[in-house]
Amino acid sequence: MRKKNDFLQAFQDSSQLLAMLMDPDKVDLSKVENLVQHLPKATTHLFVGGSEVEEKLTEELVVLLKKQTELPIIIFPGDYTQITNEADALLFLSLLSGRNPEFLIEQQVKSVEKLKNTSLEIIPTAYLLIDGGKETSVQRVSQTLPMAQENIQAIVNTALAGEYSGKQLIYLEAGSGASTKVSTAVISAVKKEVSIPIIVGGGIRSEKEIKQAYQAGATMVVVGTAFEDNPAFLVSNSASTSKTVEVSK
Ligand code: 1GP
């Protein structure tokens, strides 16, 4: 039995969702409890996934997280092997910014055997890689080029093509560790034209940047690297006395 639309519903119920992204390849499983204890208070969801993750690691992390938190866990897969029924929902991504059939449709076809009897809520998601100022792992693994931030019309048209194809969410991705995040100009231009909710991630490191993304039109912001480096990053932005928490490998 597939789950009801709790994840999508969250986008109707709130205009400011915040997901912390955990890459199973980077998280030290023995420190998950500590990691969960230091989640920013505003966190509404956990994303689990990475560009290249050894099979089974995702499931192990999800199972551990489930023991520590009731936050919904969403699979944000770099490839179909990361899909696990232990999570609550799956971003069913199509990399619409690129022209590599492997990430437009082939990975989706490969995932079908895992999904036929799944309990995961499956969310068709238009995934757009936007230039983050440096080569990111999404670019390297997908062998596609990001869209230029200046090419706003092409980004908007690609997002609209996603909406017209039935995607339920638009994900504007600058890439993990991006030096330039998706600009507010890009977010607001997409927001103006599309009617489905927008997720923004890549290179976002502070509360100020999270707020800017919401103000521009993102309904959900995803933070990975800043949280990996220091789970107390949101606190440390406002209180210089907070301690760094060691959690990664
Ligand atoms: C989620 O890939 C991003 O969309 C995460 O990026 O690691 O830079 O936060 P960061």
Side-chain angles (χ1 to χ4, degrees):
M1 269 289 278
R2 292 259 302 277
K3 286 207 173 112
K4 55 186 181 349
N5 289 341
D6 289 346
F7 181 58
L8 264 191
Q9 186 59 44
F11 285 81
Q12 309 306 322
D13 299 343
S14 168
S15 57
Q16 298 196 346
L17 302 172
L18 180 64
M20 292 300 124
L21 170 64
M22 299 187 196
D23 183 338
D25 213 34
K26 295 183 185 157
V27 172
D28 181 339
L29 293 182
S30 70
K31 294 175 182 158
V32 166
E33 191 176 348
N34 190 20
L35 190 57
V36 169
Q37 278 166 7
H38 289 90
L39 280 168
K41 282 203 173 57
T43 307
T44 58
H45 294 80
L46 297 180
F47 276 20
V48 176
S51 294
E52 293 161 299
V53 179
E54 207 182 296
E55 205 166 351
K56 293 285 168 211
L57 272 187
T58 306
E59 188 161 292
E60 279 173 32
L61 177 56
V62 171
V63 168
L64 265 182
L65 286 169
K66 278 277 168 200
K67 290 183 185 150
Q68 308 290 338
T69 175
E70 298 201 334
L71 287 172
I73 300 180
I74 318 303
I75 300 294
F76 175 48
D79 65 62
Y80 79 100
T81 65
Q82 294 173 37
I83 295 171
T84 165
N85 276 324
E86 300 293 332
D88 297 295
L90 165 72
L91 290 185
F92 202 57
L93 304 169
S94 290
L95 184 59
L96 297 189
S97 54
R99 297 295 177 268
N100 182 350
E102 183 67 29
F103 293 92
L104 278 166
I105 185 62
E106 190 59 29
Q107 283 289 321
Q108 291 81 344
V109 174
K110 286 174 180 162
S111 69
V112 164
E113 284 306 321
K114 281 183 167 240
L115 295 175
K116 273 182 182 165
N117 297 308
T118 190
S119 56
L120 292 166
E121 178 185 347
I122 301 172
I123 322 288
T125 304
Y127 192 45
L128 276 66
L129 182 60
I130 313 290
D131 189 3
K134 65 181 214 189
E135 194 191 68
T136 56
S137 53
V138 181
Q139 183 178 344
R140 184 174 44 77
V141 171
S142 70
Q143 298 185 352
T144 65
L145 290 174
M147 303 185 82
Q149 301 248 6
E150 301 67 41
N151 209 346
I152 289 186
Q153 197 56 54
I155 295 171
V156 168
N157 288 354
T158 305
L160 276 173
E163 179 173 352
Y164 300 160
S165 319
K167 308 299 185 212
Q168 301 289 312
L169 297 172
I170 303 291
Y171 196 136
L172 301 175
E173 169 73 274
S176 190
S179 45
T180 313
K181 56 199 177 348
V182 178
S183 72
T184 52
V186 167
I187 300 170
S188 56
V190 173
K191 175 70 181 173
K192 210 168 142 205
E193 300 280 340
V194 306
S195 50
I196 53 178
I198 300 168
I199 303 178
V200 176
I204 297 176
R205 293 183 177 83
S206 66
E207 190 167 2
K208 184 174 162 209
E209 292 175 345
I210 293 170
K211 281 191 178 147
Q212 284 169 344
Y214 291 143
Q215 275 157 11
T219 301
M220 174 179 268
V221 173
V222 183
V223 178
T225 305
F227 177 65
E228 252 166 42
D229 291 349
N230 177 18
F233 76 102
L234 280 185
V235 179
S236 57
N237 277 320
S238 49
S240 54
T241 50
S242 76
K243 290 192 202 120
T244 297
V245 183
E246 292 292 337
V247 284
S248 49
K249 283 178 186 168

